[in-house]
C-alpha cells in the first residue's frame, strides 16, 4: 500500500494531549498544500537594500543603527531586520521542514508541518504531520510555557491546514480539503475558538476548489477566491457577498490593509499589472501597482507598503514595495534553490 498523507498521520496517534514545542517528523506530503505559490530571494550574503527615502518604513528614527542580519537555519536565507519593524518573521518552512522563532533564534519543529504565530505573539497554531485517532487536528501552543493543547478539526480522510488568525487573536480559520482523484480540493473551512479550545467545521456549497480561507479585516466573515473574484462567507459557511472580477486574494497572513479598507489581489487577466488593490466596501478598484511582477505576495506592512517576493539576478529578494511599484527596502535575500524548495516566511505583526 502506498503511503498517503493520511497513512503518515496514523503514525502520530500515540502523541499525548499536551505537547511541548520540539522537533518532529518531516512535513507530510501534498495533502497539506504549501501556503503560497512559492517565494524566492537572493543568494546568501546578498543583503544590500535599496536606499530608503525619508518617507519609507525603513527610515524610522534610529532604525539603521539597530539593523541585524539573521541567517535562517537549514536555508541560504538572510533576514534584514530592524528593531523598529512593525512585523517580523516568527516562523518559516522550507521543503518538508518547519521552524519556529524562539528567543533570538529559530528551532526546527519536526512534529508539525505548519506553524502560524498569532498577532502580537504569545500563541501559535500548529498543524501536526499525522492524524490522531482518525482525526486531523491542530495544536494550540503557549509560547511562554512551550505547552500545547490538541484540538480536533476534521475526521479522516479530510484535512485542515493553512491556518490564518483573526486580528484579535481569538480565532483561527483553516481550509478543509478532500481528495479528488490525485488532487486535493477545498470543501469548506474550520474555525478554531481559542478560549473554548474547540473547532467547528463549515461545509461550503459550490466553493471554489482552489479556495483558501482567511479572515475579513473585522473578523466577522471569512473570505476566499470564487470564480476569479472574492467571496465573503459567514462563519456558518453562508454566502454574504461577492466582489466579482477582482482576481484571487493575495497570499501572506492578511490580504487586507491595516485599516481594513483595502483588499490586495492578483490582478485579473484583463489588467497588464499583477498587483491590484480594491475598496473593501464598494468593490471598486483603488490601485493597480505598476512595474512589479512578484513571485509571491506576503501581506501588508502598512497602508502604503506591501511585502513581495521578486526575482533578482538569479536569486530572490523579499522587498517592501510602494503602491507605485518602487522598492524601498529589502527584507530578506535567498537562493533560487530555497524558492524551488517551497520557502515561506511567516510575518507576524507585533
Amino acid at each position: 500500500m502506498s503511503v498517503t498523507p493520511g497513512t503518515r498521520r496514523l503514525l502520530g496517534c500515540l502523541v499525548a494531549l499536551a505537547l511541548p514545542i520540539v522537533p518532529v517528523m518531516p512535513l507530510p506530503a501534498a495533502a497539506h498544500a504549501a501556503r503560497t505559490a512559492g517565494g524566492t530571494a537572493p543568494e546568501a550574503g546578498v543583503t544590500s537594500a535599496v536606499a530608503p527615502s525619508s518617507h519609507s518604513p525603513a527610515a524610522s528614527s534610529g532604525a539603521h543603527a539597530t539593523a541585524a542580519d539573521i541567517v535562517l537555519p537549514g536555508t541560504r536565507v538572510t533576514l534584514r531586520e530592524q528593531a523598529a519593524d512593525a512585523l517580523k518573521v516568527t516562523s518559516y518552512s522550507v521543503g518538508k521542514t518547519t521552524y519556529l522563532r524562539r528567543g533570538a533564534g529559530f528551532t526546527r519543529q519536526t512534529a508539525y508541518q505548519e506553524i502560524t504565530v498569532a498577532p502580537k505573539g504569545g500563541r501559535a497554531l500548529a498543524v501536526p504531520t499525522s492524524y490522531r485517532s482518525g482525526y486531523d487536528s491542530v495544536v494550540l501552543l503557549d509560547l511562554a510555557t512551550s505547552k500545547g493543547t490538541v484540538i480536533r478539526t476534521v475526521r479522516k480522510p479530510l484535512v485542515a491546514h493553512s491556518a490564518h488568525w483573526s486580528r484579535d487573536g481569538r480565532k483561527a480559520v483553516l481550509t478543509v480539503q478532500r481528495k479528488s482523484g490525485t488532487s486535493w480540493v477545498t470543501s469548506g473551512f474550520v474555525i478554531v475558538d481559542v478560549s473554548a479550545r474547540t473547532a467547528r467545521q463549515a461545509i461550503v456549497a459550490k466553493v471554489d476548489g482552489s479556495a483558501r480561507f482567511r479572515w475579513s479585516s473585522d473578523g466577522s466573515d471569512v473570505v476566499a477566491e470564487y470564480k476569479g473574484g472574492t467571496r465573503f462567507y459567514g462563519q456558518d459557511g453562508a454566502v454574504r457577498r461577492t466582489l466579482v472580477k477582482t482576481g484571487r486574494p493575495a497570499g501572506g497572513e492578511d490580504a487586507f490593509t491595516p485599516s481594513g479598507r483595502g483588499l490586495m489581489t492578483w490582478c485579473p487577466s484583463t489588467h497588464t499589472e499583477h498587483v491590484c488593490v480594491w475598496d473593501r466596501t464598494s468593490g471598486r478598484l483603488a490601485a493597480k501597482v505598476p512595474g512589479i511582477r512578484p513571485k509571491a505576495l506576503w501581506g501588508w506592512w502598512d497602508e502604503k507598503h506591501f511585502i513581495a517576493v521578486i526575482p533578482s539576478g538569479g536569486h530572490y529578494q523579499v522587498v517592501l514595495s510602494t503602491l507605485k511599484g518602487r522598492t524601498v527596502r529589502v527584507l530578506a535575500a535567498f537562493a533560487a534553490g530555497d524558492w524551488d524548495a517551497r520557502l515561506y516566511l511567516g510575518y507576524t505583526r507585533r
Side-chain angles (χ1 to χ4, degrees):
M1 181 179 69
S2 61
V3 177
T4 66
T7 304
R8 294 184 184 211
R9 288 163 180 269
L10 294 174
L11 300 175
C13 291
L14 299 179
V15 178
L17 293 182
L19 300 179
I21 303 173
V22 293
V24 241
M25 302 183 306
L27 206 95
H32 292 84
R35 252 186 286 172
T36 71
T40 25
E43 301 286 342
V46 182
T47 57
S48 59
V50 175
S53 72
S54 59
H55 301 291
S56 78
S60 57
S61 175
H64 296 294
T66 56
D69 288 350
I70 301 173
V71 178
L72 298 183
T75 73
R76 289 170 289 176
V77 178
T78 299
L79 298 183
R80 182 70 173 170
E81 295 190 335
Q82 297 177 2
D85 286 347
L87 289 84
K88 68 176 182 179
V89 174
T90 54
S91 65
Y92 67 94
S93 59
V94 60
K96 296 181 178 182
T97 308
T98 300
Y99 293 82
L100 176 66
R101 193 164 198 154
R102 304 296 290 158
F106 290 83
T107 303
R108 184 177 177 181
Q109 302 294 306
T110 54
Y112 309 122
Q113 59 148 310
E114 170 189 329
I115 297 179
T116 307
V117 177
K120 300 186 183 303
R123 292 191 180 105
L125 207 64
V127 179
T129 59
S130 302
Y131 285 115
R132 292 191 177 96
S133 302
Y135 284 86
D136 204 355
S137 61
V138 293
V139 181
L140 181 63
L141 300 170
D142 184 319
L143 298 182
T145 64
S146 295
K147 299 296 184 179
T149 302
V150 176
I151 302 171
R152 288 179 171 179
T153 53
V154 293
R155 187 187 293 271
K156 179 187 177 182
L158 297 177
V159 296
H161 61 95
S162 299
H164 287 269
W165 286 93
S166 60
R167 291 185 174 184
D168 61 10
R170 296 179 179 178
K171 299 169 291 185
V173 63
L174 296 91
T175 297
V176 174
Q177 292 191 316
R178 59 178 174 80
K179 194 73 175 287
S180 177
T182 59
S183 302
W184 290 85
V185 296
T186 297
S187 59
F189 58 86
V190 162
I191 292 178
V192 175
D193 184 311
V194 171
S195 61
R197 304 295 197 268
T198 58
R200 178 170 50 85
Q201 181 183 0
I203 301 298
V204 179
K206 299 180 180 180
V207 66
D208 194 303
S210 61
R212 190 185 74 191
F213 291 91
R214 76 277 307 280
W215 292 99
S216 62
S217 53
D218 62 3
S220 61
D221 299 329
V222 295
V223 300
E225 174 186 1
Y226 180 75
K227 293 185 176 180
T230 303
R231 176 160 279 185
F232 291 68
Y233 299 87
Q235 295 182 37
D236 59 356
V239 176
R240 292 284 181 87
R241 64 184 296 224
T242 304
L243 303 181
V244 299
K245 298 180 180 180
T246 62
R248 72 181 191 276
E253 303 307 318
D254 198 336
F256 292 90
T257 58
S259 70
R261 291 191 293 268
L263 165 67
M264 181 165 56
T265 70
W266 294 97
C267 293
S269 59
T270 51
H271 299 286
T272 58
E273 295 82 2
H274 291 253
V275 183
C276 285
V277 182
W278 306 82
D279 184 283
R280 183 201 60 182
T281 303
S282 68
R284 294 176 181 173
L285 183 63
K288 294 186 293 183
V289 183
I292 185 171
R293 302 185 65 176
K295 290 289 187 179
L297 296 170
W298 285 351
W300 289 93
W301 190 267
D302 55 28
E303 289 293 309
K304 297 181 179 180
H305 300 85
F306 61 91
I307 305 170
V309 179
I310 60 172
S312 177
H315 54 261
Y316 292 85
Q317 293 180 333
V318 183
V319 304
L320 276 186
S321 175
T322 69
L323 294 178
K324 299 295 184 182
R326 184 173 65 86
T327 293
V328 298
R329 180 175 156 199
V330 175
L331 300 175
F334 54 94
D338 290 310
W339 179 252
D340 295 340
R342 295 183 294 116
L343 174 73
Y344 178 76
L345 306 182
Y347 283 87
T348 299
R349 194 168 296 278
R350 300 191 188 196

